[in-house]
Amino acid sequence: MRLMILSLAVSCLTPSVAEAQLPSSQAVADGTLEVTLSSTLLNSYRRGNLDTWWAEQTGDPGRKVDQGSPAFFALEGRYIIALPDRKGWLAPGIGIIFPADHALWGSSIFFGGFQRLVMQPAIASFHASMILPVEQLDGATAEFGGGILIGWVSGEYLGNDSGGDFDNKISRSPGLGFVLTGGANYMINDMFGLSLKSGLRFLKAGLSTAGTDYFLDSGDKVKASLSGFYLTIGVTLRPEAIMAARK
């Protein structure tokens, strides 16, 4: 919670300088590409009615799909464009997260059989951020923004029932959502920097096997909620500056 408050507070800082300055300020003014590789400090999935469906499948009202690892790696690329007043930057970009293999996982063992659900989400983003300089620390910036998300889950649902063993592969059924983001960055030099990002996701993805959707007993479609809060830390690279330094 303290890390979340700190990240949001930094994101709200505003510049008080006449013209924004960063390492490689001329390169930024002309536009530059940044690539960031991040890893999670915190992440959560709300799961939605996936818990209700799993309780119905296992016959245990209290059973939830709450096991597994929510950790992920994220790869993001963006192009930084100076605003006309030179007091900040606009940064449109794209990104994708790579979760752990068993990001969502549940199991039920009973006399004579078992059921197991293994799911791996994936989320792609198309986003834009407003970047503002922090006057008190040269090379530091704060940012806030948002974007469109496309997410899906894959995996398998296997076990046995009265009809024998089954192994259902979960098809990718993309869902559309959005994200609100905030963060802070610090460029150590022209080429490398550190990045701290937080965000709130709002996203659901359907469950199906070979094009056939899963349903609750009530008739509602099963949708895994990938909504949640995340906090990541990463390393930022500026490829143009790196290539220039090698010449």
Side-chain angles (χ1 to χ4, degrees), residues 19 51 66 185 207 223:
E19 182 174 350
D51 283 345
D66 58 357
N185 312 282
L207 259 68
K223 291 189 175 182

Side-chain angles (χ1 to χ4, degrees), residues 8-217:
L8 294 176
V10 172
S11 300
C12 295
L13 292 175
T14 56
S16 59
V17 292
E19 182 174 350
Q21 294 294 325
L22 282 176
S24 297
S25 58
Q26 184 59 45
V28 173
D30 294 337
T32 191
L33 176 67
E34 280 190 354
V35 178
T36 301
L37 178 63
S38 304
S39 179
T40 45
L41 294 173
L42 295 171
N43 182 47
S44 63
Y45 300 115
R46 292 182 181 173
R47 301 188 305 275
N49 63 12
L50 183 64
D51 283 345
T52 303
W53 175 77
W54 186 238
E56 292 175 352
Q57 296 302 303
T58 59
D60 182 353
R63 190 172 292 274
K64 297 181 179 180
V65 183
D66 58 357
Q67 304 174 72
S69 172
F72 64 79
F73 289 101
L75 181 63
E76 173 187 315
R78 62 184 187 177
Y79 194 72
I80 301 178
I81 306 167
L83 296 177
D85 59 7
R86 295 294 193 266
K87 292 184 179 180
W89 299 267
L90 180 65
I94 58 175
I96 189 167
I97 72 166
F98 303 93
D101 289 340
H102 289 57
L104 295 169
W105 179 74
S107 66
S108 174
I109 300 175
F110 51 89
F111 183 75
F114 75 99
Q115 289 175 295
R116 184 165 69 245
L117 178 70
V118 179
M119 299 175 63
Q120 181 178 3
I123 301 173
S125 64
F126 303 87
H127 54 266
S129 298
M130 180 70 70
I131 304 175
L132 304 171
V134 178
E135 181 186 10
Q136 293 81 1
L137 184 60
D138 185 34
T141 58
E143 65 176 77
F144 61 92
I148 303 289
L149 300 177
I150 300 175
W152 59 92
V153 292
S154 59
E156 62 180 354
Y157 171 40
L158 68 161
N160 53 38
D161 55 22
S162 57
D165 294 343
F166 64 91
D167 187 351
N168 298 328
K169 303 300 180 183
I170 297 175
S171 309
R172 295 178 176 87
S173 300
L176 192 65
F178 66 96
V179 63
L180 302 175
T181 62
N185 312 282
Y186 179 71
M187 292 304 297
I188 299 172
N189 54 36
D190 292 354
M191 298 175 288
F192 304 100
L194 300 176
S195 174
L196 182 69
K197 302 287 178 63
S198 64
L200 283 173
R201 293 186 310 266
F202 301 88
L203 175 65
K204 291 183 178 180
L207 259 68
S208 65
T209 293
T212 302
D213 293 326
Y214 287 75
F215 291 89
L216 300 176
D217 291 345

